[in-house]
Amino acid sequence: MQGDPSLLVGIETSDDAGVYRLSPEIALIQTLDFFTPIVNDPYDFGRIAAANSFSDIYAMGGKPLTAMNIVCFPVKEMDKSVLRSILEGGLDIIYKAGAVMVGGHSVEDPELKYGLSVTGIVHPEHFLTNAGAKPGDLLVLTKPLGTGILATALKGRMLDEKTTTMITELMATLNREAAEVMIEIGVNACTDITGFGLLGHALEMAKASKVGMCIYADKVPIISEAKIFVSMGMVPVGSHLNQKFCSHHLDIAPTIDPLILDLLADAQTSGGLLMSVPENKCDELTLKLLEKKVLAVVVVGEVVRKPVGVIQIR
Ligand code: CO
Ligand code: CO
Ligand code: CO
């Protein structure tokens, strides 16, 4: 810690947002995310980048208030209308999140990048981190996996229009509803699934919570088209890097198909929430998530006492 007792979550933990107490009732949550286009349509890219930027606020159980654009744009090579569409997409998602746009900053850059800095609020004693998971908890995931593999296929012009639209809507969907249900019911820990994939983020949660986890491989929701690309050997480097990073902390049952690991480690953009919920609240949580038409509502595993910091895949 940097010595300021009001800094409740800083850079020391693997949470992606910072939390700073302003008063006994209110803490600020701040987060920033931006990246290069992952879909071709500028408006859709704007929506996806914005939805992704809100995700860390929702994972902590916070309410987003304000957003600022961060833009890197090749002014000389690209038409200004492209930028306008990106910002329009972002603005539509900011509106859906119930937040307001308050400004931003843009620089000239040969490589286009866009994202948001988002500020939200949360109660200083009731925010969620990845550190509260308890043995006996069940793990609930709220979006299917596979967008990393499919976005890579899209870059290689191998994705049909229907699947492109499907993953675009998946990534542009805010975790807002899922987070609202989670706050209402009460869970022990939460994280959002992004670049490290389900395996990487589950491992971070296990380490931070000093518990072990068991993932039920055949229960994990996976977009069927992603399975097809994986079976053709089309796995982005990121997935293998994630697996390598986790490898010493995985206990994989011999019956597990190695291809499923590529999917469990697939880097997600604007992925779902992974919630660690006490078993006696799980039915109520999943029922309410289903009522809200959250994209996937699946118990993908459980939290175990031992071995600490290990993900068992069964
Ligand atoms: Co982030
Ligand atoms: Co995150
Ligand atoms: Co400025």
Side-chain angles (χ1 to χ4, degrees):
M1 280 289 161
Q2 297 166 65
D4 184 340
S6 294
L7 182 62
L8 305 180
V9 176
I11 52 174
E12 292 84 2
T13 65
S14 300
D15 287 290
D16 304 319
V19 182
Y20 189 90
R21 183 177 47 225
L22 295 177
S23 76
E25 298 288 312
I26 298 176
L28 274 186
I29 313 182
Q30 293 176 290
T31 180
L32 165 68
D33 261 294
F34 69 121
F35 46 71
T36 54
I38 47 163
V39 294
N40 301 322
D41 184 276
Y43 174 78
D44 286 338
F45 169 53
R47 289 197 300 146
I48 291 166
N52 183 71
S53 299
F54 279 102
S55 196
D56 289 326
I57 303 268
Y58 290 129
M60 286 189 146
K63 176 183 156 49
L65 295 179
T66 59
M68 299 180 100
N69 288 322
I70 174 159
V71 179
C72 302
F73 194 75
V75 184
K76 294 190 186 82
E77 296 98 80
M78 222 174 259
D79 197 88
K80 274 271 180 60
S81 66
V82 173
L83 180 56
R84 246 193 321 273
S85 296
I86 293 172
L87 297 181
E88 252 173 52
L91 200 59
D92 281 358
I93 294 300
I94 293 168
Y95 178 75
K96 279 196 175 154
V100 289
M101 154 63 54
V102 294
H105 189 75
S106 53
V107 293
E108 192 181 342
D109 189 312
E111 193 177 35
L112 172 59
K113 300 174 197 83
Y114 171 67
L116 299 175
S117 159
V118 183
T119 300
I121 49 169
V122 72
H123 193 286
E125 277 147 33
H126 303 303
F127 64 88
L128 290 161
T129 65
N130 61 7
K134 296 198 167 51
D137 283 0
L138 295 175
L139 298 168
V140 175
L141 180 65
T142 67
K143 282 189 190 181
L145 304 180
T147 55
I149 287 158
L150 294 171
T152 306
L154 175 66
K155 271 211 175 92
R157 298 167 190 270
M158 285 178 294
L159 212 60
D160 60 63
E161 216 179 300
K162 189 170 147 255
T163 313
T164 304
T165 306
M166 188 252 289
I167 62 163
T168 298
E169 293 313 316
L170 209 89
M171 293 186 287
T173 300
L174 284 167
N175 285 321
R176 179 179 180 166
E177 272 80 20
E180 284 172 356
V181 171
M182 170 174 88
I183 296 160
E184 188 192 330
I185 307 294
V187 306
N188 287 331
C190 181
T191 191
D192 59 326
I193 307 300
T194 51
F196 298 130
L198 174 64
L199 283 187
H201 290 284
L203 181 59
E204 282 191 337
M205 190 187 266
K207 284 179 178 168
S209 303
K210 300 183 175 64
V211 294
M213 281 179 188
C214 183
I215 303 280
Y216 321 135
D218 58 346
K219 292 268 165 51
V220 177
I222 291 163
I223 306 163
S224 55
E225 286 82 355
K227 289 184 191 167
I228 299 171
F229 281 99
V230 165
S231 68
M232 297 188 304
M234 309 225 9
V235 179
V237 207
S239 175
H240 289 145
L241 289 176
N242 283 343
Q243 286 178 60
K244 210 172 145 193
F245 178 77
C246 297
S247 60
H248 298 300
H249 308 272
L250 298 180
D251 169 6
I252 305 161
T255 48
I256 299 293
D257 180 350
L259 294 183
I260 193 92
L261 295 176
D262 292 336
L263 292 153
L264 298 183
D266 183 38
Q268 305 297 287
T269 297
S270 189
L273 299 180
L274 181 70
M275 307 171 186
S276 184
V277 59
E279 195 184 1
N280 63 2
K281 287 184 178 179
C282 191
D283 286 346
E284 200 186 353
L285 179 83
T286 51
L287 204 73
K288 288 239 161 93
L289 289 171
L290 287 168
E291 272 172 24
K292 292 276 182 172
K293 301 203 165 45
V294 167
L295 293 169
V297 182
V298 185
V299 176
V300 296
E302 64 189 289
V303 179
V304 295
R305 197 169 297 281
K306 288 193 287 192
V308 171
V310 170
I311 309 291
Q312 304 171 47
I313 302 175
R314 295 291 180 263

